[in-house]
Amino acid sequence: MKDSEDLKKAVESLGGEFELIRELGRGATAVVYLLRDHALDRDLAMKVIRTALSGDEEGLARLQREARLVAQLMHPNIVKLFGTHRLSDGSLALLMEHVPGRNLKEVLRQEGALSIPNTIKVLKDIGSALAYAHRRRIVHRDVKPENIYIDEEVGAARLADFGVARSWDQDARLTVPGASLGTPAYMSPEQIDGKNVDGRTDVYSLGLVGYEMLLGHHPWEGENVFTIIFRQKNEELPIEPLGLADAPALARTLEKALAKDPGGRPESAEAFLQELSEEGVRPRPTSSRTNFGVGIATGTGQAPGHADVEGVLAPVDWSTVEPAEGQAQSVAHESSSDAEAGPSIPPSQPLGVRPKRRWGPILGMSAAVVAAGSFGVYQLLPLGVGASDPGDFAPIQTSTSPPAPEERPQPEDLIAGPPPGLVMAAGTPTEGLVGSLIELRAQVRGDGGLPLVDTLVLFQVEEGAGSVGSPEARTDAEGMVVVEVLLPDSPSVTLVLGRVAGAEGLEARFELTSHPGPPQNLTPLGGDQQDGFPGEPLPDFLGVRIEDEFGNPLPEIQVRFEVLQGGGQVGPELIRTDGVGRAFTRWTLGSSEGTQWVTASIPDVEGALFTFQATAGAVPQPEPEEAVEEVAEPDSLPPAPPAPDPVVVVARTFAVGGSHVCHISGGRTSCRGANDRGQGGEGSLGGLIGMTAGVSHGCGLNAEGEAWCWGANESGQLGDGTTMDSRSGAVVDTETRFSVLAAGLSHTCGLGPGGVASCWGRNVGGQLGDGSRADHIRPGPVGGSRSFHDIVAGWNHSCGLVAGDRAFCWGSNSEGQLGDGFRVDRLVPTPVPGNFRALAAGANHTCGIRGDDVFCWGDNSFGQLGDGTTDSRLSPVRVTDLPSPPLVLATGAVHTCALLRDRSAFCWGQNLHGQLGNGTTENQSTPVRVSGDLEFITIFAGGGVTCGFAQDGSEYCWGFNQSGQLGDGSRTNRSSPVAVRRNVP
């Protein structure tokens, strides 16, 4: 990054009081050094951004934003940033607090999994830091073990590196268009997609860190980046392996935090902490003051709430610690700037000894905030808890000046009398239907619980999507104010902040919950327009979703399924919707041929009705066998073995995987790029003439149609009867010979004699097409007995073409990638509207050539469908602005390319790595031409890479190149085509 002499000169430019001690660590863009500040007699950490970024205005703007954000965050669990400096060589240096100890990644690597108590302690420390940031509407976006430091002096976990943080309300244009800043292994699904993020993104990352602490390693350790991204978006992490039977609150909290849908997670880190608490109470915020506890106030190196014992962290239950003999119990008076501070300990308090807390009747609510002002002493009772009758309380003596230490009110004194301040009035509803108006009534009380008249109270929505009708109101003769709150259109919590004008720090928060309304809509989820045989069950479930008028799903609503015509039966007939408003049933057709109907309805709700239709066709009869005269063979001759059915292998000599590229040349197979799972095929397989590449595995065919596979095999995608990775290649365990193969994320499919499709490997989405979701480590037939002439594989779905160019797809359908108009997984092939002469499948989208146009369907987060939008499509939609008819289609994970009749190549979709080849890294929702005026004879794509062969046979590639998969001899991403060096493996 820079030699020692240059660095020394750069540091000297800061001033003579700074001394460079040693390097602490380095990453892709920065090096961190230990620096001695002699003027203040302290150690600092200096993060020096590499010189190559010095001219990057976007990067510098983001770093300056980091400085502004972190400078605002003064919290004991956040590493402090003291300032920024431009060094003499143009580099940018961030001067930060030096945290003695290791980061969490080092702890896990050296010591393995943490205990449940230590895991909870780290989660609470980092959750407290994030809650503090979230209340200021700042989201971190890069919570990971490397950014969590275990402060060995004070025994606390501390969060560092807000380098990609931003305000929830801030314009996000400083980030790269389409980029997902952060670390893929800890990103939330919405962050991976480049969507707007809020505190729930940090909650997801923190949940994943908690999972890793208990497991001892990352759940997808060793996977490549594309596999991790896919699993982050699509695969739920099971909680059972963590062994949390004795910690149900922790198990429940992690399960919610790791929900793929942000709506299923705690809405902020504060809500995460509340879930984590076994008592289910809102956690007590920690102080934002620099002298928040004994360790910092006295310089002893001991933080409140921690003991210096063996292990990483050990919490101390202060409720069991009695005060030292003769030590007074006291509570400090807080100013408005200390509104989040808890009781502090006088400097004379012996280390490790703290007064026993006696919270009495307020156990289970947020900490009281005490303020001295013109109204006397006030106690704020947020969230509407506390008594409502002033007559139930004894008065509290007021004072306009701070009392002497021995006269300061004790905790039990503060809670024994009436609660002066702002409190919710009795009878105020704390919940209501979505979209409804409720009246929030509050009372302002003074000394002795007496109401304060004509006092101005200000209201605002602090969290949530609700709205306040009037931002201010004055108290009446009873000290009451009334404000209307419009609850949001979706089930959620709205936090309303009320504060008394002119009394700084005098405020209270009121939590209002909106619940779904009555059932209004019944929406089909799948199962309509199926074909089957009389008297047999249909392959797909009938499914509906029940919603209120705003589209919120309703659980526990009764749905009735009834046969309308054609006989047959459904079961169950009466079923309640699940937690997300869905109800499913099976339909067995009646005994007659023709059209049959089943209705789904909500009892007692008029108009909530849908009719499913199915067609029962004739059961195919086997052709009669011709009588053959038996001729006895001589006893001396054994019977001849049956000849295998012939297949004609399609020669496919090039394939692009997730982060590797394979090709056949001179009868030998070789691969370049990533090889962490053996996908590079050690030993160069010979004799193959057709091949395919999955995300982390590859497969090939010899001239006889025998299949070989190599690479990752955790789900049996190599088909050899095991789940062991293979670097040298394994023979697929089957008698079937194949003409063509297709590989997805963790599954493989092939076409055998007569076009019969077989698949093997992972089957969680039904991508093997056999009617089940069970994985298979050997090939098994796809249901339906169709004869396919081509087959392709997406990451978790498969598609094929039959006679007449009819397309069928099966497997995962979460984004509509099957093109049948629904989001319901299909366990057997289901038809796609329209005829296609070629297909290509990406991670969660599919494209096909129909006539002179390209049509795409499925996920469209980055514009990979090419229709000018980023809206997902459940049915085929035409790609716009292609200047010439298409010849060849190629799909990567989230981008698409087409070779046109004029031999030009056009691409669209995600372009973060330059995989569109137009010289930029900006996503495109309509096709853009690949730069260079090259004329191609064919193109290929996979992961974040695109390749093509020019008319003279030269190979060009562009896009992601971290593993050298472009073959240009570098690891630099390319946004324009670069020639592949033939001598690069």
Side-chain angles (χ1 to χ4, degrees):
M1 183 167 293
K2 58 170 82 249
D3 60 45
S4 58
E5 188 61 32
D6 288 342
L7 179 63
K8 183 177 180 181
K9 291 179 180 179
V11 173
E12 288 174 352
S13 67
L14 295 176
E17 67 271 20
F18 294 101
E19 177 187 357
L20 181 66
I21 305 299
R22 68 176 186 274
E23 180 180 318
L24 294 175
R26 62 177 57 219
T29 61
V31 179
V32 180
Y33 299 93
L34 180 63
L35 202 66
R36 185 64 180 172
D37 181 358
H38 290 291
L40 296 177
D41 193 25
R42 62 180 178 179
D43 287 336
L44 300 176
M46 182 177 69
K47 179 179 179 180
V48 181
I49 310 304
R50 68 181 184 188
T51 308
L53 292 182
S54 299
D56 181 2
E57 293 303 321
E58 188 276 334
L60 291 176
R62 181 154 50 86
L63 290 168
Q64 293 293 342
R65 184 178 69 216
E66 173 187 6
R68 288 194 298 270
L69 284 174
V70 181
Q72 301 171 21
L73 302 179
M74 302 298 293
H75 188 277
N77 296 110
I78 294 178
V79 176
K80 298 180 182 67
L81 176 68
F82 296 123
T84 63
H85 291 273
R86 293 300 293 269
L87 301 180
S88 57
D89 64 350
S91 300
L92 183 67
L94 307 177
L95 296 183
M96 300 175 292
E97 180 184 10
H98 171 56
V99 181
R102 300 168 292 173
N103 65 39
L104 183 57
K105 182 178 181 180
E106 294 171 326
V107 171
L108 293 173
R109 185 174 63 246
Q110 296 166 9
E111 302 182 14
L114 301 189
S115 66
I116 290 176
N118 284 342
T119 297
I120 293 174
K121 182 63 189 68
V122 173
L123 290 176
K124 286 185 175 180
D125 281 354
I126 302 306
S128 178
L130 290 172
Y132 175 83
H134 291 172
R135 286 194 292 272
R136 285 147 183 81
R137 302 190 69 76
I138 292 173
V139 57
H140 188 282
R141 298 201 294 174
D142 199 20
V143 178
K144 58 184 179 180
E146 296 93 316
N147 287 337
I148 296 173
Y149 288 85
I150 308 303
D151 192 327
E152 294 179 349
E153 287 192 357
V154 300
R158 306 180 66 185
L159 182 61
D161 203 347
F162 278 72
V164 296
R166 70 171 176 86
S167 169
W168 299 1
D169 306 315
Q170 182 177 330
D171 187 348
R173 286 174 293 180
L174 279 174
T175 59
V176 179
S180 302
L181 292 177
T183 304
Y186 299 92
M187 282 183 180
S188 65
E190 65 271 19
Q191 189 178 4
I192 288 173
D193 287 341
K195 299 177 181 178
N196 289 333
V197 298
D198 54 26
R200 294 171 295 182
T201 286
D202 287 342
V203 167
Y204 181 91
S205 301
L206 183 57
L208 197 50
V209 169
Y211 196 99
E212 182 171 348
M213 284 191 287
L214 293 166
L215 199 62
H217 58 82
H218 193 277
W220 300 309
E221 193 169 57
E223 301 283 359
N224 65 54
V225 65
F226 293 104
T227 303
I228 288 174
I229 287 174
F230 177 83
R231 291 184 169 179
Q232 289 283 48
K233 291 185 61 176
N234 297 280
E235 294 188 10
E236 302 288 346
L237 280 171
I239 301 298
E240 291 76 13
L242 302 182
L244 297 178
D246 295 330
L250 177 58
R252 182 175 61 252
T253 303
L254 292 180
E255 187 171 25
K256 289 184 178 181
L258 292 171
K260 301 301 180 186
D261 181 1
R265 298 179 212 142
E267 61 185 11
S268 67
E270 189 170 3
F272 173 90
L273 290 172
Q274 185 173 356
E275 291 278 355
L276 190 60
S277 171
E278 290 184 359
E279 292 79 17
V281 300
R282 183 178 295 272
R284 180 182 180 86
T286 56
S287 172
S288 61
R289 298 172 298 165
T290 57
N291 61 339
F292 73 100
V294 176
I296 294 180
T298 64
T300 60
Q302 182 77 15
H306 301 84
D308 188 8
V309 297
E310 292 184 3
V312 181
L313 296 167
V316 174
D317 182 3
W318 290 111
S319 65
T320 64
V321 179
E322 295 291 346
E325 185 177 353
Q327 176 65 45
Q329 299 177 0
S330 63
V331 175
H333 286 261
E334 307 288 2
S335 67
S336 60
S337 63
D338 295 328
E340 294 175 348
S344 64
I345 306 301
S348 60
Q349 178 70 43
L351 180 64
V353 179
R354 214 172 186 189
K356 183 176 181 179
R357 293 176 178 168
R358 291 180 284 173
W359 298 125
I362 66 166
L363 181 64
M365 68 178 73
S366 296
V369 181
V370 184
S374 58
F375 294 109
V377 178
Y378 292 94
Q379 183 180 19
L380 304 191
L381 298 181
L383 306 182
V385 294
S388 58
D389 184 359
D392 294 340
F393 301 93
I396 293 179
Q397 299 300 318
T398 64
S399 174
T400 57
S401 61
E406 62 275 9
E407 298 174 349
R408 290 177 182 173
Q410 302 301 301
E412 60 270 28
D413 296 330
L414 292 176
I415 63 171
L422 181 63
V423 295
M424 183 180 286
T428 297
T430 57
E431 55 187 42
L433 295 179
V434 293
S436 64
L437 275 175
I438 66 172
E439 286 188 345
L440 191 160
R441 295 184 291 276
Q443 185 180 47
V444 181
R445 298 170 178 167
D447 298 343
L450 298 176
L452 296 179
V453 180
D454 197 30
T455 300
L456 182 62
V457 183
L458 308 178
F459 293 93
Q460 68 182 73
V461 173
E462 189 175 50
E463 293 182 17
S467 59
V468 175
S470 175
E472 60 182 48
R474 287 191 174 274
T475 58
D476 59 17
E478 297 180 351
M480 300 287 295
V481 289
V482 179
V483 63
E484 286 188 333
V485 179
L486 179 63
L487 297 180
D489 294 341
S490 59
S492 59
V493 174
T494 298
L495 202 61
V496 176
L497 172 66
R499 52 192 178 89
V500 176
E504 189 174 359
L506 185 58
E507 59 186 32
R509 290 168 177 81
F510 307 100
E511 191 174 272
L512 309 175
T513 304
S514 56
H515 298 292
Q520 192 93 10
N521 305 315
L522 184 151
T523 304
L525 292 179
D528 192 26
Q529 301 293 333
Q530 296 187 67
D531 296 326
F533 301 116
E536 294 188 6
L538 289 172
D540 293 338
F541 285 93
L542 308 186
V544 296
R545 182 174 60 246
I546 309 302
E547 304 166 338
D548 66 9
E549 62 175 313
F550 296 107
N552 300 305
L554 300 177
E556 294 299 317
I557 300 297
Q558 202 169 57
V559 181
R560 183 183 300 279
F561 292 92
E562 295 180 282
V563 175
L564 183 63
Q565 181 176 320
Q569 61 182 6
V570 289
E573 295 182 347
L574 204 60
I575 186 172
R576 291 189 177 275
T577 55
D578 61 17
V580 288
R582 304 173 305 181
F584 296 95
T585 192
R586 277 286 191 186
W587 182 5
T588 299
L589 295 175
S591 58
S592 60
E593 297 181 16
T595 303
Q596 302 182 22
W597 290 271
V598 162
T599 61
S601 61
I602 307 174
D604 303 324
V605 177
E606 186 176 353
L609 179 74
F610 184 81
T611 301
F612 294 91
Q613 179 178 319
T615 302
V619 178
Q621 300 296 323
E623 296 182 4
E625 297 183 0
E626 297 182 3
V628 178
E629 182 179 354
E630 294 185 3
V631 178
E633 295 286 345
D635 294 339
S636 59
L637 296 177
D645 292 331
V647 294
V648 178
V649 177
V650 178
R652 293 180 175 174
T653 61
F654 195 87
V656 181
S659 52
H660 69 292
V661 176
C662 296
H663 57 94
I664 300 172
S665 179
R668 306 298 296 177
T669 301
S670 60
C671 302
R672 62 177 184 260
N675 193 28
D676 54 301
R677 302 291 298 276
Q679 60 266 48
E682 290 181 2
S684 293
L685 297 164
L688 302 183
I689 64 173
M691 67 184 318
T692 184
V695 173
S696 296
H697 76 291
C699 295
L701 297 171
N702 61 23
E704 290 73 38
E706 186 179 44
W708 287 70
C709 293
W710 58 93
N713 195 30
E714 72 279 357
S715 300
Q717 58 263 45
L718 303 189
D720 65 342
T722 76
T723 56
M724 298 176 59
D725 295 358
S726 174
R727 293 183 174 272
S728 58
V731 179
V732 176
D733 187 10
T734 179
E735 297 292 328
T736 303
R737 296 295 181 261
F738 299 100
S739 60
V740 66
L741 298 174
L745 173 64
S746 300
H747 80 289
T748 313
C749 295
L751 297 184
V756 175
S758 298
C759 295
W760 56 96
R762 188 163 177 78
N763 197 28
V764 65
Q767 57 265 47
L768 304 189
D770 66 344
S772 77
R773 294 183 185 269
D775 295 353
H776 295 293
I777 57 178
R778 296 179 178 85
V782 172
S785 301
R786 293 179 177 84
S787 177
F788 294 94
H789 61 78
D790 197 10
I791 193 167
V792 297
W795 279 18
N796 262 345
H797 72 289
S798 311
C799 297
L801 292 174
V802 301
D805 290 339
R806 293 183 62 203
F808 287 80
C809 293
W810 57 96
S812 176
N813 200 22
S814 58
E815 300 296 332
Q817 57 264 48
L818 304 188
D820 65 345
F822 298 95
R823 294 182 185 270
V824 179
D825 295 352
R826 303 295 186 178
L827 308 186
V828 293
T830 186
V832 180
N835 297 337
F836 301 89
R837 55 185 173 89
L839 294 175
N844 289 315
H845 77 291
T846 314
C847 294
I849 298 177
R850 180 193 298 174
D852 289 338
D853 292 306
V854 175
F855 286 78
C856 295
W857 55 94
D859 182 29
N860 197 26
S861 302
F862 300 96
Q864 59 264 45
L865 302 190
D867 66 341
T869 76
T870 54
D871 300 327
S872 296
R873 306 291 186 173
L874 307 185
S875 300
V877 61
R878 179 177 171 272
V879 174
T880 62
D881 300 332
L882 282 177
S884 176
L887 295 177
V888 179
L889 276 184
T891 49
V894 283
H895 77 287
T896 311
C897 295
L899 172 64
L900 306 186
R901 189 174 295 171
D902 63 3
R903 298 299 176 180
S904 63
F906 280 75
C907 297
W908 55 95
Q910 190 189 60
N911 199 25
L912 177 62
H913 310 296
Q915 57 262 51
L916 303 190
N918 68 332
T920 77
T921 54
E922 296 182 0
N923 298 345
Q924 301 290 335
S925 60
T926 56
V928 293
R929 181 165 184 162
V930 175
S931 62
D933 295 327
L934 294 168
E935 292 188 352
F936 295 97
I937 58 175
T938 190
I939 58 171
F940 304 87
V945 172
T946 314
C947 295
F949 284 89
Q951 296 275 23
D952 62 358
S954 300
E955 180 188 345
Y956 292 85
C957 292
W958 55 96
F960 193 48
N961 198 27
Q962 182 179 2
S963 301
Q965 56 264 50
L966 299 190
D968 66 340
S970 78
R971 295 180 185 271
T972 303
N973 296 347
R974 305 292 186 179
S975 60
S976 298
V978 293
V980 174
R981 294 164 51 185
R982 293 296 186 183
N983 60 342
V984 175

